[in-house]
Amino acid sequence: MNSFTGTNRKVRLGVVTGMEVINGVHVSQPGLVVVDITAADDQTAFAFHAALAAMWATTALERTIRIPGQSGVRLRCYLDMRQPPEP
């Protein structure tokens, strides 16, 4: 779920279209995290993922998702924080 704010500043919850449903296995243990990244472009999204991957184990990524009529790109990765981050 993501929160969206409208012009009247009310917060509403919705599911981002184009993203897979989060499976219970992805967050079945403490320390497992689903990260949804929204960025202006592919390079920014992949750079942020690379920063996460430098510290924790993450899933490999192949492509971003573009939603027609919305600016930017979306990317989902799964992160394992059960081990201490790399320095």
Side-chain angles (χ1 to χ4, degrees):
M1 300 290 273
N2 293 310
S3 62
F4 301 93
T5 57
T7 55
N8 63 359
R9 301 286 184 212
K10 283 189 175 181
V11 175
R12 63 184 173 90
L13 297 176
V15 176
V16 175
T17 56
M19 290 284 195
E20 296 177 13
V21 175
I22 296 172
N23 187 318
V25 173
H26 297 138
V27 290
S28 62
Q29 298 177 25
L32 298 179
V33 180
V34 178
V35 180
D36 286 328
I37 301 165
T38 303
D41 55 35
D42 291 349
Q43 288 178 322
T44 305
F46 286 125
F48 184 76
H49 175 264
L52 292 174
M55 294 176 35
W56 295 288
T58 64
T59 53
L61 300 175
E62 296 176 7
R63 63 181 179 87
T64 58
I65 296 172
R66 293 189 184 275
I67 299 174
Q70 294 184 8
S71 59
V73 297
R74 295 213 166 97
L75 185 69
R76 174 173 284 170
C77 66
Y78 303 95
L79 183 68
D80 185 350
M81 296 178 59
R82 293 177 290 184
Q83 297 178 10
E86 298 289 323

